[in-house]
Amino acid sequence: MASLTLDRLTKRYGDTTVVRDVSLDVRDGEFLVLLGPSGCGKTTTLRMIAGFVPPSEGSIRIGERPVTDLPPWKRNAGLVFQSYALFPHMTVAENVAFGLEMRKAEKAEIEPRVREALRLVRLDGYGDRYPRQLSGGQQQRVALARALAIRPDVLLLDEPLSNLDAKLRLEVRLEIRALQQQLGLTTVMVTHDQEEALTMADRLVVMSDGEVRQIGSQADLYETPTDLFVANFVGRSTMIAGTIYAPGAFRSEGGLELTCPPGPVTGLATMSLRPERLTIGPDAARLDNHMRGSVAFVSYLGGLLDVHVRLNDRDQVVVQIPNRGDVFVPAIGDQVEVGWPAAACLVFPRETN
Amino acid sequence: MMLDGRIFGRMALFGTAYLTLGFILLPLFFVTWLAFFAQEIPSFPPEGYTLKWFGAIADNRNFATGFLTSLQVAIAATLIGLALGVPASLILARQTFLGSSAINQLLLLPIVVPGIVLGTSIYVFQIETEIATGLPVLGSMGGLVAGHALLVIPWTVRLVTASLTGLDRAAEEAAQSLGADQWTTFRRVTLAAIRPGVVAAALFGFVASFGNLEMSLFLVAPGSITLPIAILQYLEWKIDPTVAAVSVLQIALIGGAMIITDRYVKLARVV
């Protein structure tokens, strides 16, 4: 395994820039996830690393080796696709052996390595089957074994779980993560599924419009998002539009006077609130910001309840409460007290578009 | 007794299927039977059975030379048809460009247009070409093979396109990421995956060319002959079972080719 470095990677098609100035350092053995909505450039970035898309500018290094101008077959990157991309006319064992054959490995060496790779993904004994005889989850594990058999310098996963059903997705997710840690694989995964990203990654890169918005750990992204996009995309937030008119003083468009931590933002601003940081009921009165509102809507999420509270004509917040059975559950139309501490407020300059 | 609707439906389905199958097989059965009749004018009931008509084939030079010509033409036309049809299918299946679906339709046309129309138009085209260039096109072996290649192309395009839909484009990228260069990827992944389609296309193209009468009638040189033309000419003078015997050999050849092909690629899966 090796580290992976992207330096100011840019991809343009004509006048459209799909990836702009992406610089990343993936440490040896690190699991990095590129997260973003579709069209954000994450897949193009991965394809540039794999060698299928030539970058317009910038460079890529795997370990100390510059690979920017190398074709895919000289990069030694293991690739796993959303669609599995197994060779339909080859058996499972032949699929896994393919990369070793390409490396001119001896027959005597290939066989034990194929068996080893299949054992890693718990498919020992499936070598003689054809891909079409396997379930989706099994096919994706074959694809993983095939990518691992060549002992790649980096492992690249392109939405590897998207084609699997929910239960299997969870299973394969844990399996990939366990293998990655066990083998110390330098891994870059692309996904649009934030839960997947949060549970698997060592570090995440949030992308949008071809640019990196934030790089950090799960806690970094959730607790201290650098902009409104990240606050919105990672986890859930409710937004209150307003103005910062003095340090730590926020006035909403609906006229609420709110206290927030003093920061660099002044003028038009948006306050972002995590629903679980809000309190509903009598306890709310002790908090920095508290007010009365009426319950507009309650959504039942099983373990959690989302209570939408209308504060005035313009402002509404979502309060998330655990469904413990012994807590007060408001009904639609109830007048309730809502509150949150100043520290729960994330304030960003208003995005002008 | 109550008749279950589903049982009735199944019986109707099987009944229709067997009737259709019988309709297709009956002529083959009679031709084969007729080939062994002893009397010269085929009539029922047979007066006895003989193998002499098979012997008569060998005595007729037209059948032997016709067979050889047909074989050569069919093999050459199949090879040319594949060489043109496979790359065309690869591009058409994967890229959409201005006119790509029109080209696709155009390539399928030769098996839709009536043979006699196709024959006439190629005949006229070859005459015009000969006038324009002064090259001896009409009646040449090359001209005949070129015409027959047109019969192979539609089969190739149809069957190879069908087998390509089963191949994920990402499989080729996977091969490249595993260390295969473009040529190796094409050989080991693309070509290997469409092999059943190519083999089936070769078989059907070969059969289409080998059995073609209408187009060949226009394109053969005076004095040159293909097997279907030899059969037709023979039938103009005689109706003894020699023709049936020739047909039996032809059926056996094509049937044998299909059985052998089916051992390597399951035809039912690609056609």
Side-chain angles (χ1 to χ4, degrees), chain A residues 47 52 72-73 77 79 81 83 85-90 98-99 101-103 146 150, chain B residues 166-168 170-171 173-182 184 188-189 192-193 269:
Chain A
R47 292 175 62 78
F52 297 117
W73 52 91
L79 202 50
F81 296 83
S83 58
L86 297 177
F87 309 132
H89 56 287
M90 297 186 199
F98 187 86
E101 265 178 64
M102 291 302 120
R103 281 162 177 69
R146 183 177 67 178
I150 62 170
Chain B
L167 178 70
D168 181 357
E173 293 187 341
Q176 295 193 357
S177 77
L178 291 167
D181 60 27
Q182 275 155 322
T184 312
R188 293 284 314 268
V189 178
R269 281 236 309 270

Side-chain angles (χ1 to χ4, degrees), chain A residues 1-277:
Chain A
M1 281 290 146
S3 60
L4 170 70
T5 312
L6 311 186
D7 188 27
R8 301 183 62 89
L9 213 53
T10 297
K11 180 64 192 177
R12 275 185 297 266
Y13 291 103
D15 290 339
T16 344
T17 305
V18 289
V19 173
R20 180 173 307 151
D21 267 349
V22 171
S23 296
L24 289 176
D25 270 301
V26 192
R27 292 185 290 267
D28 193 347
E30 185 181 28
F31 196 129
L32 188 89
V33 172
L34 302 182
L35 175 66
S38 57
C40 72
K42 56 190 192 300
T43 300
T44 307
T45 305
L46 192 82
R47 292 175 62 78
M48 285 196 276
I49 301 172
F52 297 117
V53 174
S56 308
E57 274 166 44
S59 64
I60 306 166
R61 272 184 297 128
I62 295 176
E64 292 307 309
R65 196 162 60 105
V67 299
T68 321
D69 299 318
L70 292 182
W73 52 91
K74 289 188 178 158
R75 294 203 179 188
N76 203 33
L79 202 50
V80 176
F81 296 83
Q82 177 178 353
S83 58
Y84 323 135
L86 297 177
F87 309 132
H89 56 287
M90 297 186 199
T91 63
V92 166
E94 286 165 352
N95 263 280
V96 178
F98 187 86
L100 300 171
E101 265 178 64
M102 291 302 120
R103 281 162 177 69
K104 309 263 186 297
E106 299 289 328
K107 271 236 154 55
E109 189 194 347
I110 289 177
E111 205 191 316
R113 277 177 69 175
V114 168
R115 218 174 318 123
E116 164 73 11
L118 286 176
R119 195 186 55 74
L120 279 176
V121 297
R122 297 188 296 112
L123 282 176
D124 354 32
Y126 282 78
D128 293 332
R129 306 225 189 155
Y130 280 91
R132 62 175 174 274
Q133 297 169 307
L134 304 181
S135 71
Q138 288 170 332
Q139 289 190 38
Q140 196 53 298
R141 282 165 25 207
V142 174
L144 191 62
R146 183 177 67 178
L148 294 180
I150 62 170
R151 296 186 183 149
D153 291 327
V154 290
L155 181 64
L156 306 175
L157 311 172
D158 185 7
E159 305 250 3
L161 307 173
S162 301
N163 277 12
L164 305 176
D165 60 47
K167 192 168 167 237
L168 215 57
R169 199 176 300 172
L170 208 69
E171 206 179 296
V172 180
R173 185 201 283 174
L174 295 174
E175 200 164 309
I176 291 178
R177 178 61 166 156
L179 262 179
Q180 183 269 334
Q181 288 181 321
Q182 177 195 336
L183 302 176
L185 303 167
T186 308
T187 306
V188 178
M189 180 172 90
V190 156
T191 183
H192 63 271
D193 181 329
Q194 58 153 303
E195 191 193 325
E196 200 172 291
L198 292 172
T199 51
M200 293 176 83
D202 289 319
R203 242 175 356 135
L204 301 102
V205 179
V206 180
M207 292 183 71
S208 120
D209 296 328
E211 289 181 52
V212 171
R213 291 305 188 99
Q214 188 170 3
I215 305 178
S217 68
Q218 286 84 340
D220 292 338
L221 300 184
Y222 197 78
E223 312 279 344
T224 52
T226 49
D227 62 21
L228 200 57
F229 175 83
V230 178
N232 250 325
F233 195 75
V234 181
R236 291 185 326 129
S237 321
T238 30
M239 307 287 160
I240 298 178
T243 316
I244 295 278
Y245 61 91
F250 181 96
R251 183 184 298 122
S252 81
E253 290 189 340
L256 298 171
E257 296 288 342
L258 302 170
T259 331
C260 57
V265 183
T266 54
L268 287 179
T270 302
M271 178 181 284
S272 160
L273 297 167
R274 299 294 189 192
E276 74 280 3
R277 303 275 161 102

